[in-house]
Amino acid sequence: MSNLPAHDSSKRGTNYLLSPLPATSNIKVSVAMITYNQERYIAQAIESVLMQETDFDFELVIGEDYSTDKTLSIVEDYCKRYPEKIKLIKYNKNQGLLFNLYNVLNLCQGKFVALLEGDDYWTSKHKIQRQVDFLEKFDNCSICFHTTECFFENKSKPSYFHPELNYKKFSNIEDLLVRNFISTCSVMYRNRLFNELPNWYCLLKLGDWPLHIFNAQYGEIGYINEIMSAYRIHQGGVWSEKDRYEVIKNTEDMLKKIDLFLSNKYTKLIYAAIANWYYELFLVGDKRVSFSEAVAYSKTCIKSKTFYKYKSKKDWLKMYCLAYFPILYKYLSL
């Protein structure tokens, strides 16, 4: 077990280096798990990792971020029972989601890394074996993922799949910049495709999507047509309590940093994606997006030609009408 001090804020202007993998490691997969105040869920998450049936060695690296409930004691109990399988990082002060994740990733020794947050769980005991087999078969892929069942803990809404089954088998970084179709609890990467995280990464409000993008620079994104994980939507979730407008503002900030990081190679695509989210926010009646702004956003989307393959003809006609015939759009909307 590793007991780390609070993160040194004076170093937050530097890039975050990832330590080299040990040459003697026999670990094929490292499962990176972060948790904070998840005493109701953490045991199920850990058990879903321990149930995995594989023909290789794997480890579970848990970052416990100074919880105020019983999460730490539950995790420590598992560490005592499975010391050969579980590594624990704990702190003397809360670090925040992404500093915690960075520390966990630094300790991952496997050839591949799978992510699982402490309030989600895996539903297939063959999950990581299936993903390793896929990545070893398709060496053109840097990432592998599958469909996840997303469910509301309070059963207020029906569950849904993300993405829907029968998603296309191979995607690329351009697809990923348009929208995040990869659930955190479904993803597996090749480890150490890059040596450092940019200095702004740990200060973001979201961490999985940019991490997917960093890895997608080095290969295609492979999809397995199976449901092998469950994503729990609950009041204590990182995103479930956030307002949709706030989520989009945080995502906009992230993608603009990504744009600079990628040397403005995908600027047109990224700004079209941002425009599309605000346009869709307007469609659902959010008053913080004005009519004139929605017209401008719809024009940006159309000029980019980014969304032809993502929208139906009906949706495109509606967007086109708003962009170039706004008075007619207002009349038809009444």
Side-chain angles (χ1 to χ4, degrees):
M1 281 187 276
S2 175
N3 196 343
L4 299 181
H7 197 89
D8 184 355
S9 60
S10 67
K11 296 180 181 178
R12 295 188 180 189
T14 61
N15 285 358
Y16 298 99
L17 296 175
L18 294 170
S19 57
L21 294 176
T24 58
S25 175
N26 294 318
I27 302 295
K28 181 65 73 75
V29 173
S30 295
V31 181
M33 180 181 293
I34 55 173
T35 184
Y36 173 72
N37 282 358
Q38 294 171 333
E39 63 179 7
R40 294 167 55 196
Y41 315 120
I42 189 63
Q44 186 176 26
I46 293 173
E47 290 286 354
S48 75
V49 175
L50 296 175
M51 77 174 184
Q52 294 298 302
E53 296 180 0
T54 66
D55 60 12
F56 51 77
D57 291 333
F58 66 89
E59 65 178 359
L60 171 59
V61 185
I62 303 176
E64 204 295 314
D65 200 10
Y66 203 70
S67 295
T68 58
D69 63 6
K70 296 179 181 178
T71 301
L72 178 58
S73 63
I74 295 170
V75 173
E76 287 182 325
D77 179 62
Y78 274 99
C79 288
K80 292 175 184 176
R81 290 155 56 192
Y82 302 94
E84 76 290 346
K85 188 70 71 176
I86 302 176
K87 295 178 183 176
L88 171 62
I89 308 173
K90 55 183 181 179
Y91 310 93
N92 58 18
K93 183 180 180 181
N94 181 264
Q95 298 294 286
L97 186 148
L98 294 186
F99 283 111
N100 188 16
L101 178 59
Y102 162 72
N103 286 330
V104 169
L105 292 175
N106 235 336
L107 281 187
C108 289
Q109 299 184 52
K111 179 179 178 182
F112 306 102
V113 174
L115 302 184
L116 180 62
E117 295 183 341
D119 53 352
D120 301 326
Y121 59 95
W122 294 340
T123 56
S124 169
K125 61 185 178 182
H126 304 297
K127 172 193 153 67
I128 61 175
Q129 180 72 59
R130 294 276 290 111
Q131 290 189 282
V132 166
D133 291 345
F134 185 98
L135 287 170
E136 290 190 330
K137 179 179 179 180
F138 297 101
D139 57 9
N140 59 307
C141 289
S142 58
I143 304 173
C144 174
F145 77 106
H146 53 78
T147 293
T148 294
E149 181 178 8
C150 305
F151 70 97
F152 292 82
E153 184 181 41
N154 62 8
K155 299 182 180 179
S156 59
K157 298 177 184 178
S159 62
Y160 61 92
F161 296 148
H162 180 71
E164 289 293 331
L165 286 166
N166 299 308
Y167 197 76
K168 62 181 180 178
K169 190 167 184 176
F170 297 105
S171 305
N172 57 36
I173 190 171
E174 292 190 5
D175 297 313
L176 191 56
L177 288 168
V178 171
R179 73 183 187 100
N180 184 15
F181 47 83
I182 304 174
S183 295
T184 308
C185 54
S186 76
V187 74
M188 181 179 284
Y189 309 120
R190 298 185 189 277
N191 199 5
R192 298 300 196 277
L193 289 172
F194 50 88
N195 296 322
E196 62 183 35
L197 290 164
N199 56 21
W200 44 262
Y201 173 75
C202 289
L203 302 177
L204 295 174
K205 301 296 184 181
L206 67 165
D208 59 341
W209 192 356
L211 196 57
H212 302 337
I213 294 170
F214 295 150
N215 284 289
Q217 297 176 89
Y218 301 96
E220 292 190 273
I221 304 166
Y223 168 72
I224 297 175
N225 189 33
E226 293 182 39
I227 304 164
M228 295 192 284
S229 59
Y231 173 78
R232 179 185 278 107
I233 303 168
H234 60 96
Q235 283 191 337
V238 174
W239 286 104
S240 57
E241 294 183 337
K242 288 187 179 293
D243 175 78
R244 179 62 182 165
Y245 187 85
E246 183 183 353
V247 169
I248 290 175
K249 294 297 287 185
N250 291 336
T251 305
E252 178 182 8
D253 175 65
M254 179 273 291
L255 280 181
K256 286 181 176 179
K257 288 181 169 65
I258 288 284
D259 184 37
L260 293 175
F261 178 78
L262 298 176
S263 303
N264 304 110
K265 184 177 179 181
Y266 303 102
T267 298
K268 188 175 181 180
L269 180 69
I270 286 171
Y271 277 75
I274 294 169
N276 183 65
W277 294 324
Y278 284 111
Y279 164 76
E280 291 183 347
L281 206 58
F282 167 79
L283 291 184
V284 298
D286 195 303
K287 301 300 183 183
R288 288 166 292 187
V289 182
S290 69
F291 188 84
S292 60
E293 287 174 326
V295 171
Y297 290 138
S298 60
K299 285 182 179 178
T300 298
C301 291
I302 290 170
K303 289 177 180 177
S304 73
K305 300 181 180 179
T306 298
F307 294 92
Y308 285 123
K309 59 183 178 180
Y310 300 110
K311 291 183 180 291
S312 67
K313 289 183 178 179
K314 182 179 179 181
D315 289 337
W316 263 109
L317 285 172
K318 189 171 186 177
M319 181 182 281
Y320 190 88
C321 185
L322 175 62
Y324 297 105
F325 304 98
I327 296 176
L328 177 61
Y329 179 93
K330 271 189 173 181
Y331 175 78
L332 294 174
S333 298
L334 293 176

